[in-house]
Amino acid sequence: MASYRIRQYREQDYDAVRTLFARGILEHAPAGYRHVLRSARVQLGLLVLFATVRAAAGYWVLGLATVALALVVTWPLVRSFSTSYVQQALCTDLCDIPTSYLRAPDSCFWVAEAGGTVVGMVAAAPSQDPAERGVALELKRMSVSKDYRGRGVSKALCTEVLRFARARGYGAVVLSTSMVQVAAQRLYEGQGFKKVGVYSPSLLGTLLCFQIFHYRCDLPGRTATP
């Protein structure tokens, strides 16, 4: 098993970090598509579409073709959840990492390095949720290279954020992850996080049954927010 170390972000990590983040998010798009197709609401909609077209045109082949077209159109819509999220991140906090995380109060950005290569990343910043502001720190931008998953890198990065939050007197760490990031959910739950909320990122997300899970870990020795 290759060794690695966790260290603070440096300017020379810029391109590697942005590439790692983008790849890590975009690779979940196919899983999101499969999840949407398994949704009872979507399956019912496709059945209704097939029945309607068949009844109107009188040909079941045309009905199947219409359903196939709907499936083709659905793929870019589902993928847009990932692409828009990546674009938003690259144009905001990941555009100027030192300003966003190294110079901002109670914020930091770490990378996992192995053999001189960045193989993982994570950030921490005060939660922007008014109900958690001043109480909870947010774990953000977690991503680990495929080649280094299952080696404890994600756990080490998560532990670093929890340690950082405790050292600065925060009572909890919060984070958000998508419904299809099952491995990430298991990691967070193994680290003491509990799911405290579920929401859709947009109206399209609601229609396609795409959800974001909100997690919270109350730190030992601190008082949880009511």
Side-chain angles (χ1 to χ4, degrees):
M1 181 180 295
S3 60
Y4 61 87
R5 68 186 181 110
I6 308 298
R7 61 167 174 80
Q8 190 169 294
Y9 169 88
R10 300 171 186 163
E11 285 287 5
Q12 57 264 38
D13 302 325
Y14 183 75
D15 290 334
V17 159
R18 286 165 59 90
T19 299
L20 178 64
F21 175 77
R23 287 177 178 171
I25 296 299
L26 293 176
E27 72 180 32
H28 294 293
Y33 183 62
R34 291 191 296 270
H35 176 88
V36 166
L37 296 187
R38 288 194 295 265
S39 164
R41 181 187 302 173
V42 171
Q43 291 179 356
L44 178 60
L46 292 174
L47 179 61
V48 170
L49 177 62
F50 169 78
T52 300
V53 172
R54 185 183 184 286
Y59 298 100
W60 65 267
V61 173
L62 186 57
L64 289 178
T66 304
V67 169
L69 179 61
L71 293 175
V72 171
V73 172
T74 300
W75 163 243
L77 292 177
V78 174
R79 194 171 189 272
S80 70
F81 292 122
S82 298
T83 56
S84 62
Y85 180 69
V86 168
Q87 290 169 359
Q88 186 270 342
L90 296 182
C91 292
T92 53
D93 58 300
L94 294 185
C95 181
D96 188 350
I97 296 171
T99 297
S100 300
Y101 296 107
L102 303 184
R103 302 187 191 115
D106 292 342
S107 302
C108 197
F109 198 105
W110 300 268
V111 300
E113 182 184 58
T117 301
V118 173
V119 299
M121 56 182 278
V122 74
S127 173
Q128 295 304 301
D129 185 336
E132 298 170 334
R133 195 169 298 161
V135 176
L137 204 67
E138 184 177 3
L139 183 154
K140 305 176 65 177
R141 309 312 186 203
M142 170 81 86
S143 187
V144 173
S145 171
K146 277 186 176 181
D147 295 336
Y148 280 81
R149 291 173 192 167
R151 304 188 184 190
V153 179
S154 297
K155 183 177 180 180
L157 289 168
C158 186
T159 298
E160 190 67 25
V161 173
L162 294 174
R163 180 202 61 77
F164 182 80
R166 282 193 295 267
R168 278 153 181 75
Y170 281 85
V173 173
V174 296
L175 61 89
S176 296
T177 189
S178 74
M179 62 187 186
V180 298
Q181 292 173 271
V182 178
Q185 294 165 33
R186 291 172 181 164
L187 165 72
Y188 298 137
E189 290 167 3
Q191 292 292 94
F193 284 83
K194 296 181 180 179
K195 190 189 301 181
V196 294
V198 179
Y199 65 94
S200 292
S202 62
L203 176 59
L204 177 60
T206 300
L207 294 174
L208 294 178
C209 303
F210 189 90
Q211 297 178 318
I212 300 297
F213 297 157
H214 189 62
Y215 279 86
R216 177 186 176 99
C217 178
D218 290 307
L219 301 176
R222 303 292 300 177
T223 301
T225 302

